[in-house]
């Protein structure tokens, strides 16, 4: 565990968590709660994670929120916690609240069609298993590929995207984002920071909050929580980040969750 923000006292944060009657723990999934897997449907949480989250959810006034680039349905099947925690999926394009009510942000028809056209092209190219279609988003995964092949494919996909825009006289209404192991095309404004800001507004100024994430896509969340709570980079190898604290999974992750539970029970 390494403190990255000299202006933050981790002891003061734990003290605030222990004394607060309003705690919110927000967590990414892939790379944070679960190791990356080539077979994405088999990316199960690290040993001990489900039990730790279940215990935290059982504590009064402790809100657990999963914020992920995956779809809500994907995460619900993988996390396998009953009842489910709150889940914000597809970079805040969809939400399953703590009462099981599902909401999905509307996507303009032309944007949805653009995402679908790009997906169909990748499907015909034989890349169905590497392609993830989500509400207003499309992700292409290069994990497991040779580096040169991955770079070539990413450039080819970008070129095809620009071709689709030009041929159909469409606006460039998607944002392109590289992530650890691929490229993603998203509806403008869809990012994890959007989910964090919404949760912070709902939680109120007195909430003791933290966000745990690993990827470049989590940087929007770290920036959103800055000076309002604790941003935690969960990653075995350090990288530049806006997070306040760096921990290495799985051992330090389990330690963090256990200490969160202990402080909340006080």
């Amino acid at each position: 565990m390494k403190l990255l923000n000299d202006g933050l006292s981790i002891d003061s944060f734990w003290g605030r968590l222990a004394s607060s009657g309003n705690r919110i723990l927000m967590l990414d999934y892939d790379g944070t709660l679960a190791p990356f897997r080539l077979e994405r449907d088999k990316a199960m949480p690290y040993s001990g994670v489900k039990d730790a989250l279940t215990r935290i959810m059982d504590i009064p006034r402790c809100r657990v929120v999963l914020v992920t680039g995956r779809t809500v349905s994907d995460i619900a099947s993988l996390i396998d916690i009953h009842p489910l925690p709150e889940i914000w999926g597809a970079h805040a394009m969809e939400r399953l609240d703590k009462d099981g009510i599902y909401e999905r942000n509307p996507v303009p028809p032309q944007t949805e069609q653009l995402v679908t056209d790009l997906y169909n092209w990748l499907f015909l190219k034989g890349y169905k298993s590497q392609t993830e279609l989500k509400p207003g988003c499309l992700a292409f995964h290069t994990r497991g590929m040779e580096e040169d092949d991955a770079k070539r494919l990413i450039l080819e996909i970008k070129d095809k995207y620009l071709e689709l825009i030009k041929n159909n006289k469409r606006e460039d209404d998607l944002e392109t984002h590289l992530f650890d192991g691929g490229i993603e095309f998203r509806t403008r404004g869809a990012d994890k920071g959007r989910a964090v800001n919404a949760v912070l507004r709902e939680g109120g100024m007195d909430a003791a909050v933290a966000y745990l994430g690993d990827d470049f896509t989590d940087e929007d969340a770290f920036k959103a929580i800055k000076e309002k709570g604790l941003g935690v980079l969960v990653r075995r190898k350090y990288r530049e980040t806006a997070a306040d604290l760096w921990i290495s999974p799985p051992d330090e992750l389990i330690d963090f969750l256990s200490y969160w539970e202990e402080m909340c029970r006080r």
Side-chain angles (χ1 to χ4, degrees), residues 217-228:
T217 62
D218 295 301
E219 289 302 312
D220 293 314
F222 292 144
K223 292 171 184 174
I225 204 172
K226 203 71 173 177
E227 299 182 359
K228 301 170 186 173

Side-chain angles (χ1 to χ4, degrees), residues 238-255:
Y238 177 75
R239 64 166 177 78
E240 289 298 317
T241 178
D244 303 299
L245 186 71
W246 170 38
I247 62 176
S248 178
D251 293 343
E252 290 185 346
L253 168 66
I254 297 300
D255 288 345

Side-chain angles (χ1 to χ4, degrees), residues 31-253:
T32 302
L33 298 182
F36 288 110
R37 292 285 300 270
L38 290 179
E39 296 170 292
R40 295 191 305 279
D41 60 341
K42 296 182 180 178
M44 308 307 293
Y46 290 112
S47 177
V49 163
K50 285 177 17 178
D51 290 341
L53 292 181
T54 299
R55 291 193 301 269
I56 292 170
M57 289 170 61
D58 285 340
I59 302 171
R61 299 180 300 281
C62 279
R63 182 177 175 186
V64 174
V65 184
L66 301 186
V67 182
T68 174
R70 287 195 191 237
T71 62
V72 163
S73 59
D74 272 358
I75 294 300
S77 62
L78 288 169
I79 196 67
D80 193 28
I81 292 176
H82 303 284
L84 284 168
E86 181 178 344
I87 304 172
W88 289 72
H91 300 284
M93 290 302 293
E94 52 177 3
R95 178 188 188 184
L96 183 73
D97 71 15
K98 62 182 179 60
D99 298 317
I101 298 173
Y102 175 83
E103 298 175 317
R104 173 174 167 172
N105 288 335
V107 179
Q110 65 272 17
T111 303
E112 198 77 77
Q113 187 61 53
L114 185 57
V115 171
T116 301
D117 289 347
L118 191 57
Y119 173 81
N120 289 338
W121 176 76
L122 286 163
F123 179 88
L124 292 174
K125 294 277 288 186
Y127 295 122
K128 180 182 178 181
S129 62
Q130 289 104 321
T131 307
E132 187 181 6
L133 184 62
K134 302 173 283 188
C137 311
L138 180 141
F140 182 78
H141 297 268
T142 59
R143 197 174 303 278
M145 294 182 181
E146 293 293 332
E147 185 177 353
D148 288 345
D149 291 339
K151 289 180 178 178
R152 176 182 56 80
L153 277 170
I154 285 175
L155 288 174
E156 187 178 352
I157 295 167
K158 284 183 175 180
D159 288 343
K160 182 61 181 180
Y161 171 66
L162 294 175
E163 179 187 321
L164 287 170
I165 293 172
K166 181 179 179 180
N167 290 348
N168 294 278
K169 297 180 180 179
R170 294 166 170 162
E171 293 184 6
D172 185 6
D173 52 1
L174 295 175
E175 294 179 333
T176 305
H177 298 268
L178 293 173
F179 61 90
D180 187 3
I183 186 171
E184 190 161 39
F185 299 85
R186 293 188 224 147
T187 302
R188 292 191 179 279
D191 63 60
K192 295 176 182 178
R194 179 177 175 180
V196 170
N197 281 324
V199 171
L200 290 173
R201 285 194 299 271
E202 294 172 357
M205 296 294 292
D206 64 329
V209 299
Y211 180 92
L212 278 64
D214 72 293
D215 201 354
F216 295 115
T217 62
D218 295 301
E219 289 302 312
D220 293 314
F222 292 144
K223 292 171 184 174
I225 204 172
K226 203 71 173 177
E227 299 182 359
K228 301 170 186 173
L230 182 69
V232 184
L233 179 68
V234 184
R235 188 180 176 89
R236 290 180 178 172
K237 186 177 180 181
Y238 177 75
R239 64 166 177 78
E240 289 298 317
T241 178
D244 303 299
L245 186 71
W246 170 38
I247 62 176
S248 178
D251 293 343
E252 290 185 346
L253 168 66

Side-chain angles (χ1 to χ4, degrees), residues 12-35:
S12 295
F13 175 80
W14 290 126
R16 181 184 175 194
L17 180 67
S19 62
S20 176
N22 184 9
R23 301 102 167 200
I24 306 173
L25 179 60
M26 294 178 276
L27 313 106
D28 171 48
Y29 186 79
D30 289 289
T32 302
L33 298 182

